[in-house]
Amino acid sequence: MSWVSMCAVLLMLGIGRSSAQGAWRRDSFSARGPYWQDVDDVEWTTWFNVDHPGGRGDYEQLDAIRFYYRARVCAAPLAMEARTTDWIPAASTGQKVHVDPAIGFWCVNDEQPAGRNCSNYAVRFLCPKDKSASVKGGWGPWSEWSDCPAQCGQVAVQKRSRTCNAKSHQRGQQCNGPTEEGRMCQGPECPGCDLQCTMGRVNAECDACMCEDHTLLGSVRSTGGLPAPGAAILRSGPQPKLLTVSDHNGHFRIPGVCPDGNSSLTVQLANHAPHDFIVPLSAERTSVLHVKLERAKKPYVVKNPEPKARREGQTTAFCCKVSGAPEPTDFQWFHNGSLLDRSVLHYDSTLVLRNLRMSQAGEYYCRASGAAGAVKSKPATLTIIGQEEASCDPKPESHLIRLPHDCYQNQTDSLYYDVGRCPLATCVGQLDNGIRCKDSVSYCCGVAKMEERQIRCQGYQLPTMVVTECGCKKCVETKAIVRGRAVAADTGEPMRFGHIFMNGVRVSRTGYKGTFSIQVPQGTERLVLTFVDNMQKFVNTTKVLPFNSKGGAVYHEIKLLRKKAPITLRSTDSNTLELGEVSGKDPMASIEVPPNSFFRENGEVYVGNVQASVTFLDPRDVSTAAAAQSDLNFVGSDGDTLPLRTYGMFSVDFRDEEAGESLNAGEVKVKLDASQVTMPEHLNNMMLWSLNPDTGLWEEEGHLKMETKHRGKREERTFLIGNMEIRERRLFNLDVPENRRCYVKVRVFRSERFMPSEQVEGVVTTLINMEPTPGYSSNPRAWGRFDSVVTGPNGACLPAFCDDQRADAYTAYVMANLGGEELEAVASSPKLNPNSIGVPQPYLGKLNYKRTDHDDERVKKTAFSINLAKPSPNAAEEANGPIYSFENLKECEEAPFNAPHFRFFRVEGDRYDYNTVPFNEDDPMSWTADYLSWWPKPMEYRACYIKVRINSPHEINVRSRNMGGTHPHTVGQLYGIRDTRSIRDMDQSTVSAVCLEFKCSGMLYDQSRVDRTLVKVIPQGSCKRDSVMPMLQEYLVNHLPLAVNNDTNEFTMLAPLDPLGHNYGIYTVTDQDPRTAKEIALGRCFDGTSDGTSRVMKSNEGVALTFTCGDREVTRTSVFQQLQSAQAGQRGASAVVTSGRQPQGQRGNRRQRGGATGNTRGNRRRSTRNPVRNARA
C-alpha cells in the first residue's frame, strides 16, 4: 500500500487532520480490512494517556507526550489513532473530537451534547521503522490476531503479541517497541432497524425516536418535597442511557425527546426509589413535567420460610417473601450456613427440595438483595424422618399437676400427680403432593390415647385424664392477641381514643382508659404498631411488640413521651434547639437549622414563623427506657439484623404558625457533645438514624464527624457533627452499632417451687442495658438499649450487650410482666442462695446478682441487676448459661432445664384451679378435644363468675364444684374445681366477698348439644345460706330443670345459658384468650357492674348469694401449705386405673394438648387472686 492510499484510509476514519462528530455507522469504514497490516516500513507506538477529562476536557498533545516519553515518538508521525480507556474507538463514541498528528488529540467538554462530558482517551502514533534497531536475536514473530470481540454493527480491537529473544542485558538495545499491539475490527452485519416512529425520526442507535424541535423541561423533588439536585434522568430500556442530570434546584432540560406518549424515562437519585414516567402526548414544542421521588425502601422480610417435617424421599418447599423499593433482584438460599448451588437447585425466592435425604435436615434461610440493600430471613428447620420411623415419640413426657390439699399422695410423697403430655413439635401427617410455601394442614405431636384415673382423696375420689400415648394429629388452630394500655411515661395519663396503625393502615383505637386489644394477623412475623394521639399530647410512638406465635394473649404497657410545648422560630433566622432533659447537666446534643431551610409539602420555601416542638428521650434518665421507640435494630449490609446502642432519640414537629401545616427542613445540622460519649470506641462509629414506621427498623441517615469548637480562650469542646433533612420521617436516633452481644436466659414460674411443669408462657421479660459511670461500676450512668422477649415453654433468651474483658463493662436490669402484673425476682439478701437464683457459684458472684430491694427493703422486688460478663471459653462453669455468646442463640433457646438460668415467679396466693382434663392457659395449643374439657372450644373462651357475700369477721374460703348436668356424656362427671378466698370489705370489718369462677354452660367440644353445668358453691366451715338474688332465683325457676337445694350450707344450680350480668350476680365474658376473659370478668365482678372494672372488691354491689358463717377464725397459713409442710401426717390412697380409652368414642376425638393446670396462681395487684385456705370437697 502506498503512503497516499494509507493516509487516505486514515483520513476516512477520522484519524488524520480532521474532526469527528456524531455516531459513526458501519459503512464509514474501509472494507479492505486492516489498513496497516501490509505496511512493512511503519509501526505503531504504544498507547499514551497523559491527561484526564477533568476541567475543560481531555488533551493528549504531542508536546506533552514527548516531554514524558521523548524516545518513544518519532519526530514526524505519519498518522495517529485515538480510543477511550475502555477500548472504544474515538469515531464510535459519538463525541466531537479533534485529531492532528502534528499537534495531537483533544476533546472539549463544552462542545459535547447537554449533560455529557468527554471520555478519557489514549492515543498512539504511526512512525517509520528504525532499521538500525533490528539486530539478530531481537524480537520473535508476532502471534496470531485474537478473535474480534465486536458485536454486530460495532467496532472493537483485536490484539497480538511478541516476545524478545535477546539476552536480558541486551534487551534494551535489541528489543525496541511494544510487546503487544492492536487493530480495529468490525462485528458482523446487524439486522435492519425495525423501530417505527409515529413522531420524529429514528436515532442512529435505533433505540429511540428523536424530535429535534421538542424540548422536555422538568423538576425533581425528593421525599418531603425538597429539591433534588444530581438526579439522573435516563432513557428507559434494557440498557438505560443517561440523558442529563438535574441542577442545584432540581431542574432539568432534555432536547429531542418525542412527546408521543411512548417515550419512557427513568429518574434515579441516591437513597430514593427509581421513578419511571412516560412523556405525555403533546403537539407543543415544549413539555413540562414534575417528578416527586419516594424514599428507597430497604428490603424487608414479609414472610419467613416455615419449618417443615417430611419423610425421607418426599418433597418440600421453602419460600421467602421480601418487599422493598426497588424490589430485590437476587435470592440466595443457605443450608446450615452454607450457600446452596443455584445452578443445581434452580431456586429464586422459592427453594424446592425433591427426593429428600437425611443429610438435608437442618436449618434453611434466604438472603435477598437488590439496589436498596440486602436482608436475611429467619431460619426454618427441616426435620426429616425415616420411612419406617415414628413421626412422634409415642411415649408421653412427664408432666406434674398439683392436686387439691386433701389429695396427698403417699406413693410420690407429694401433692403432685403425673398426667403426662405430648411434646410440642411438628410431625409428618397425611400431606398431598402439592408443593406449597405453607402446608395446607399443619400437624403436631398430640394425644393419641388417654386413660381416666380416679385419685382417692379425703372423703371423695378425684377423676383425672392421663396421657398414655402420643401420635401425629392436626394442630390446634390458635390466634395470637396483643392487648394492654397506652399511657404517659411520666404520669400514667392514658392516651384516650388514640389511633393504632399497622403498615400505614389504622387497625384499632385505644379506649377511654388507654386500653387496646389487637388480633395479630395470620402470617405476621414482626408486629409493628404506631400509636398516634389525636389530642397531640404525646409523641407518635412506634413499638415492635413481641407476641406468642403459638396463640394466646400477651399484655404490653405502652409508655408514651409527652410532646414538648412548641416554641416559635423565625424561618429567616438561624435557629438552635438544645437536646437534653436531665436538670443540672449539659445538653446531650443540639439541632441547628440554617436560615430559609423550611419547606412546605409541595417544595415551596416557607417564610414566616414556625412552631417547633422537639421532644428528646434522654438516656441519662433511666425512667425513660420504657418509652424507647421500636427495638433498636437495623439491617446491615450483609442482610443481618443487628443491634444499636442509643445516645438519645428525638422527635421533631415543625408547623406553620398560622395554618398549622406540617413543614419540612433541609440541611439541618446535628451536634452531639463528645464528652457525653463515655466509651471512646463509640466516637468513630457514631451515626444518625431515622425510624421506618412500617418495619420498625432504623435506617442510616449519615455519619457524625469529629469537630473541635472554641468557646473561649481556654475552653475547648469537641462535637460529633452530622447533617440530615427532616422530611416525612420525624423520629431520629443518635446511635452506634454494637458488636459485643450476648443472650441472657430467663425462666418464669408459677411459684417459688421452680418446677419444670410450673413454667409460665406468655410473660413479657425485659432487659435494659446500662452504661456504668467510669470508676463506679455499681452506679449506672445511662441506659443504652431496651429489649423485650415473650417466654415460651423453655423460657426466654434476652439479647444484651456484654464484654469479655471487664465483667462490669455493661450491666443490666431485668424484669417480667404478666397481664400487667409485675412478677417477683429471687431474693439476693440477706444471703445469696444459688439454688434459688438458678446460677451456681462462682459464676453468680462474677455476675454480681442483686434484686432491686438488696439495699433497701422498701423498694419493689420485681427486678434484678447483673453484670453482663461474656462467658469465658476457659471456664467450664460458664459454658452452659445463664449468659450465652451471640453465636450460641440456639444453645440458649434449647438449653435443658437444669442449665443455669435466672428466675421470676408469681407470688403464690390461696387460689386453686383443678381441671379433670388438664389445660395450660398459657399455651392454647395444649387444648384437648374432650367432653370434660373446662374450655369446650379453643379460641372462644368463656369465663363465668358468681359473686358471693360472706357475713363473717373472718375471710372464708369458697369452692365451686363443677359437674356435667344435662349432657348424656358428662352428667354426674367432674369438670373441675375452683377454690378462692374471700376478700374483706375495706369499710365493714364483718363483711367479705368473693368472685368465684364456675364452668359456663353451653355447647361442648363437638358442638352438637349443650350442657347446663351443675355448679355447687360450698363455703368452708360452719356457714348458712341467707339469700339468693331474687332475679337469679326467678331465672333458675323459669329455666328448668331446677337443681335441688336442700342443703342450706351450700348452693346448687344448673348454670344459666345466658350471660345474665350484674343484676343476677353472674358475670360472663367471652374472649379469644382465657386469661383475658377471666381478667375482664373478674374486674366486672369486683365492681359489681356489667361494663365497669375495679381492683377493689365492692361487697354490696351485684351480689348473687349471701352466706353467714361462724366465728371460727381462719389461720393465716392455708391448709394447702399446712398439709404440704406436714406431709408425714397425710393419708391418701394410690391412684387406681379404672379405664383405658382411645380418643374416639364416648369422649370423641382428642386433639393435641401439652400443658396442664392444677396450678396455684396468685396476683398481688388484684386481691381476687388471694385463693382458698381450706376447702370442702
Side-chain angles (χ1 to χ4, degrees), residues 519-631:
Q519 180 178 318
V520 181
Q522 283 286 346
T524 300
E525 303 288 347
R526 178 179 167 90
L527 183 63
V528 182
L529 300 178
T530 299
F531 295 80
V532 178
D533 180 23
N534 288 332
M535 308 299 293
Q536 296 294 313
K537 290 183 180 179
F538 306 109
V539 173
N540 292 353
T541 300
T542 298
K543 288 285 189 178
V544 180
L545 300 183
F547 61 94
N548 192 346
S549 59
K550 295 191 301 181
V554 175
Y555 183 92
H556 293 279
E557 193 97 344
I558 308 300
K559 300 293 186 180
L560 307 172
L561 280 181
R562 196 179 297 276
K563 266 190 177 181
K564 285 292 182 183
I567 61 174
T568 303
L569 308 178
R570 287 187 58 82
S571 64
T572 54
D573 296 341
S574 178
N575 297 282
T576 300
L577 302 168
E578 303 288 350
L579 304 178
E581 297 296 324
V582 179
S583 59
K585 294 186 178 181
D586 290 335
M588 286 281 295
S590 63
I591 300 175
E592 294 183 0
V593 185
N596 303 312
S597 296
F598 292 101
F599 295 83
R600 296 186 184 275
E601 292 291 340
N602 61 7
E604 295 179 1
V605 177
Y606 172 77
V607 178
N609 289 338
V610 178
Q611 291 289 296
S613 174
V614 180
T615 306
F616 184 64
L617 187 145
D618 198 327
R620 296 173 297 182
D621 182 358
V622 179
S623 65
T624 64
Q629 302 237 15
S630 183
D631 57 358

Side-chain angles (χ1 to χ4, degrees), residues 222-224 267-275 292-300 323-327 370-373 690-695 697-701 727-729:
S222 63
T223 308
V267 182
Q268 295 180 355
L269 183 65
N271 300 322
H272 288 73
H275 181 84
K292 185 177 180 180
L293 302 178
E294 297 295 332
R295 180 190 290 265
K297 296 180 180 178
K298 290 182 175 295
Y300 176 67
S323 66
E327 292 283 343
S690 65
L691 180 64
N692 184 332
D694 294 332
T695 65
L697 294 168
W698 295 89
E699 297 179 2
E700 179 186 341
E701 289 284 338
R727 298 171 293 188
E728 86 288 3
R729 294 188 184 174

Side-chain angles (χ1 to χ4, degrees), residues 305-523:
E306 297 196 356
K308 301 288 181 69
R310 294 290 187 272
R311 291 197 180 274
E312 194 173 8
Q314 288 185 327
T315 298
T316 191
F318 291 107
C319 300
C320 182
K321 185 178 180 181
V322 181
S323 66
E327 292 283 343
T329 56
D330 182 63
F331 288 85
Q332 296 175 312
W333 283 94
F334 296 81
H335 174 221
N336 293 335
S338 298
L339 178 64
L340 296 176
D341 190 342
R342 190 197 310 269
S343 63
V344 175
L345 296 171
H346 308 290
Y347 58 72
D348 45 19
S349 61
T350 300
L351 171 68
V352 178
L353 302 174
R354 305 177 189 276
N355 193 22
L356 289 170
R357 304 180 303 277
M358 300 298 290
S359 60
Q360 291 178 287
E363 291 187 339
Y364 290 82
Y365 70 88
C366 82
R367 180 182 184 271
S369 59
V375 68
K376 291 179 181 177
S377 71
K378 293 181 179 177
T381 301
L382 174 61
T383 303
I384 300 179
I385 302 170
Q387 291 287 352
E388 305 301 326
E389 186 179 350
S391 183
C392 289
D393 187 350
K395 184 178 180 181
E397 297 176 345
S398 174
H399 188 72
L400 301 177
I401 63 169
R402 194 176 184 211
L403 301 175
H405 70 279
D406 48 4
C407 293
Y408 187 83
Q409 301 297 294
N410 284 336
Q411 286 185 341
T412 60
D413 196 26
S414 71
L415 284 169
Y416 289 89
Y417 194 82
D418 190 353
V419 297
R421 70 175 178 186
C422 298
L424 297 176
T426 57
C427 59
V428 180
Q430 299 298 320
L431 298 174
D432 57 26
N433 296 324
I435 299 175
R436 300 182 178 91
C437 299
K438 179 179 177 65
D439 291 338
S440 56
V441 179
S442 297
Y443 289 90
C444 302
C445 293
V447 176
K449 184 183 293 186
M450 298 180 73
E451 290 180 354
E452 181 180 343
R453 298 183 183 180
Q454 298 288 337
I455 303 173
R456 294 197 186 99
C457 302
Q458 292 183 2
Y460 67 98
Q461 286 189 329
L462 185 68
T464 189
M465 302 301 298
V466 177
V467 180
T468 58
E469 184 178 329
C470 297
C472 192
K473 303 290 181 181
K474 291 182 180 179
C475 298
V476 177
E477 294 184 3
T478 62
K479 296 179 181 178
I481 301 166
V482 293
R483 64 185 185 93
R485 295 177 67 230
V487 297
D490 51 359
T491 64
E493 175 188 356
M495 183 179 79
R496 295 189 171 97
F497 310 116
H499 296 297
I500 304 176
F501 290 86
M502 180 168 61
N503 296 326
V505 179
R506 193 181 76 178
V507 294
S508 185
R509 296 186 67 176
T510 60
Y512 180 77
K513 295 186 178 181
T515 56
F516 66 90
S517 180
I518 296 174
Q519 180 178 318
V520 181
Q522 283 286 346

Side-chain angles (χ1 to χ4, degrees), residues 833-844:
N833 185 343
N835 291 330
S836 296
I837 296 171
V839 182
Q841 293 284 23
Y843 197 18
L844 182 61

